[in-house]
Every structure is written in C-alpha cells, then in structure tokens.
Amino acid sequence: MTLPKLESICLRFIWKQQPGVAIKPATEVEAVFSPAEQAKLVLVMTVEPGFGGQKFMEHMMPKVRALRNRFPDKDIEVDGGLGPATIDAAAKAGANAIVAGTAVFKSADPAAAMNELRKSVLKHGNGIDK
C-alpha cells in the first residue's frame, strides 16, 4: 500500500518512538514537571481528548508558557482546536509542534492550511518572535 505523502511523514515521526508526556485540560501543569525531565516532547491538550472539532481552550496557554520556561529545549506540542484563528496564541505561548486535524482536513486547500499554521510556528514557536 502506498501512503499519501502527509501520512508517510506522520508515520516516520511516530516510528521514532521518542518518549513523551501529555496533560489534559484539568491536569495541573506541575504534575508533568518530573516526568517531562525524561521526555522528548510534552503535549498540552487544548480540548478534552476524544473527538475532533472542539473549540480551542486559550486558557491552556499559561501551561504551555510554563513548560516552555521550564524546558526551553524540549518540544512543546498543543493539540485541539488549532487553526488560523488560534495558532498564533499557541505559538507565542511557546508551542513549537502542533496537531491540527479539522483545520487542515476540512479545508478547501489542506496544503495552504498547513503552510499557514507552519508559518506561525516558525515565526513564534518557542515563544520567541523572530
């Protein structure tokens, strides 16, 4: 079976099997400080996990900022409700990796949607304006 390019890229990343830790919206950010010491990536859920299309929880950005301040060299990822209207908030808070399902796959032009999101992360990722 030949995978589309995007799926192939995603699978190559997953197969690296790097350690990570994730927190749900109700979890205090301090709960992941210790396990994050050993992780390559820390994922902050910006929606309740379980289904797509939920509204972005901007009040999760202090968690992203706290993680970026504590772990300046780790990948800080956000997942949930990300799209053109919300990506800058996540990237400015310090996210340098994102998960965007609905914003990409329900877009009339998925490649353009991904490029728009990527530009914000490249400009603001790690919480540092470039």
Side-chain angles (χ1 to χ4, degrees):
M1 177 175 125
T2 302
L3 295 173
K5 187 175 181 180
L6 177 62
E7 290 177 11
S8 176
I9 291 168
C10 291
L11 287 174
R12 280 197 304 269
F13 180 77
I14 291 168
W15 288 337
K16 289 181 183 180
Q17 298 180 359
Q18 298 293 323
V21 62
I23 56 173
K24 292 172 53 171
T27 305
E28 296 295 327
V29 69
E30 294 82 8
V32 296
F33 284 172
S34 180
E37 294 288 341
Q38 302 301 315
K40 162 90 171 97
L41 175 138
V42 182
L43 169 64
V44 177
M45 294 299 301
T46 50
V47 297
E48 288 297 335
F51 59 96
Q54 296 179 63
K55 185 175 162 71
F56 177 75
M57 296 178 176
E58 190 160 354
H59 62 280
M60 295 296 108
M61 293 308 94
K63 292 180 183 186
V64 174
R65 199 167 291 109
L67 288 163
R68 176 55 60 217
N69 289 337
R70 186 166 180 112
F71 304 109
D73 298 322
K74 290 195 184 293
D75 288 329
I76 308 298
E77 183 173 34
V78 292
D79 180 358
L82 289 154
T86 57
I87 187 62
D88 282 354
K92 286 178 180 179
N96 66 327
I98 62 163
V99 175
T102 302
V104 172
F105 294 108
K106 292 201 175 185
S107 170
D109 186 349
M114 284 192 312
N115 283 333
E116 184 175 350
L117 300 173
R118 182 180 295 119
K119 284 179 188 176
S120 178
V121 171
L122 290 174
K123 180 178 180 184
H124 304 293
N126 290 352
I128 301 169
D129 285 332
K130 296 178 184 172

